[in-house]
Amino acid sequence: MIRQLVLAAACVAGLATSAAAQTFPSRPVTFIVPYAAGGTTDVLARIIAKAMTTTLGQSVIVENAGGAGATTGTLRVVRATADGYVLSFGNMGSLAANVPLYPNLAFDPRKDLAPIGVVARVPMVLSASNKSGIRDLKGFIERLKNQDNPLSIGQAGPGSTGHLAAARLLQLTETRATMVPYRGAGPAIADLIAGFVDGVVDQTVTMIPAHQGGNARALAVSSKARLPQIPDVPTFAEAGLPAFDLTVWNAIAAPKDTPPAVVARLAQALEAALASPEVQKTFAELAAEAPGAEDRGPEPLRRLIAAEVDRLTDLIRSAGIRVE
């Protein structure tokens, strides 16, 4: 009798979950971006939110929850109800690099999040403040080596992709700089434009507009070939530093135990967003590359997160990156 009751309860729960998935979404969905407004992840989140709103038939809202190296916002998603209404819109920093950066991290993205899909891969750009007087990568490295006049590099907080990129740059050039952490790439770039920091290395989505508008000078880009959006900017290989080849992936994930049917619905909506001509046009303008067919969906993202935790662990240890 007890066994029959347990089975009956399980059936009722399963039916309820199935029904909820079939009606999903019945209210707005929220992207939690674990960085300040104005950075690449925030910009991409707003582009995709607009497109997914059309597909889902409900508003997709972007909420910024920066701080603590993106762990605060990500933890909010991990602890959220697993119903698909609160999602993480993060990147390789928040979804992979934080594992080796924070030994006492309260969650593991490999276990505590349900992957939805990769949104885009984005090259990195090193830019200098107009007030710095630096004109090219060679000049930037020469200034890095001149410790009588140390350079300052702004980055989007401990463990951010900008932090990882700056640390990698210093490792490759065997130099030092004053690292200035911010609560996101947006504030870092604002201070770059104002001349309060000498350099920032961040993704094309935020760095291209600064260069095109003459507000900062892009020195090199990590793509394999020059970008049509900024054809006057050489690649790192052309500028003499071929080992700097970082690109950043951005992705969406849900709390673990989110019903598979809901995960599938969200993945379908993301797929439709990436296929949108408007999104494709905007991505092209920002040099953001949508994933290929074989890299889309939950399972490819699951494999990517696992592989990137391993790769970034090696990078972080070899570069001596520390989070205070």
Side-chain angles (χ1 to χ4, degrees):
M1 180 65 179
I2 293 177
R3 182 172 180 273
Q4 291 176 328
L5 289 173
V6 170
L7 289 173
C11 287
V12 170
L15 288 172
T17 299
S18 176
Q22 289 176 2
T23 60
F24 177 86
S26 59
R27 63 180 190 274
V29 173
T30 299
F31 285 162
I32 300 294
V33 174
Y35 302 101
T40 295
T41 308
D42 175 65
V43 171
L44 290 175
R46 295 177 190 280
I47 293 169
I48 296 299
K50 180 181 178 182
M52 285 179 63
T53 292
T54 300
T55 302
L56 292 173
Q58 291 285 346
S59 296
V60 179
I61 301 165
V62 176
E63 181 179 339
N64 299 93
T71 62
T72 300
T74 308
L75 186 58
R76 276 187 56 187
V77 177
V78 168
R79 292 176 173 172
T81 302
D83 55 10
Y85 287 97
V86 177
L87 308 174
S88 172
F89 198 110
N91 60 28
M92 75 178 195
S94 64
L95 296 174
N98 277 350
V99 174
L101 281 170
Y102 295 91
N104 298 316
L105 194 63
F107 60 90
D108 186 334
R110 295 169 293 185
K111 301 175 182 177
D112 298 320
L113 290 170
I116 302 298
V118 175
V119 172
R121 292 181 181 272
V122 187
M124 302 293 277
V125 178
L126 171 64
S127 292
S129 163
N130 289 333
K131 293 184 178 180
S132 71
I134 298 171
R135 308 294 295 175
D136 52 29
L137 179 61
K138 180 181 178 181
F140 192 89
I141 294 173
E142 288 175 351
R143 283 283 305 276
L144 283 173
K145 293 179 177 179
N146 179 11
Q147 288 303 302
D148 292 332
N149 185 20
L151 274 179
S152 59
I153 299 179
Q155 41 95 346
S160 65
T161 56
H163 182 197
L164 297 177
R168 177 63 171 159
L169 179 64
L170 297 179
Q171 178 195 33
L172 291 171
T173 56
E174 299 181 335
T175 58
R176 292 179 296 165
T178 300
M179 299 285 272
V180 184
Y182 291 84
R183 290 180 64 88
I189 295 168
D191 270 11
L192 175 75
I193 292 171
F196 295 129
V197 292
D198 298 308
V200 168
V201 54
D202 206 79
Q203 299 171 64
T204 55
V205 172
T206 48
M207 303 303 275
I208 284 177
H211 179 76
Q212 289 175 329
N215 297 312
R217 184 176 184 86
L219 308 179
V221 60
S222 69
S223 52
K224 293 181 180 179
R226 292 197 184 202
L227 300 175
Q229 300 86 349
I230 45 175
D232 57 322
V233 180
T235 66
F236 274 93
E238 290 175 323
L241 199 64
F244 189 91
D245 58 358
L246 277 179
T247 59
V248 178
W249 50 269
N250 298 262
I252 303 173
K256 72 173 183 178
D257 298 328
T258 298
V262 172
V263 169
R265 179 76 177 102
L266 289 166
Q268 179 188 45
L270 173 58
E271 178 73 24
L274 294 175
S276 161
E278 183 178 356
V279 169
Q280 292 178 353
K281 178 177 181 293
T282 304
F283 274 23
E285 292 170 350
L286 299 173
E289 181 182 353
E294 69 281 1
D295 295 323
R296 298 192 182 191
E299 193 53 39
L301 177 55
R302 186 185 308 280
R303 294 194 298 268
L304 177 64
I305 291 173
E308 286 290 85
V309 169
D310 293 339
R311 182 181 75 90
L312 293 171
T313 295
D314 291 340
L315 185 155
I316 286 164
R317 289 175 179 171
S318 65
I321 298 174
R322 299 282 187 273
V323 175
E324 301 297 334

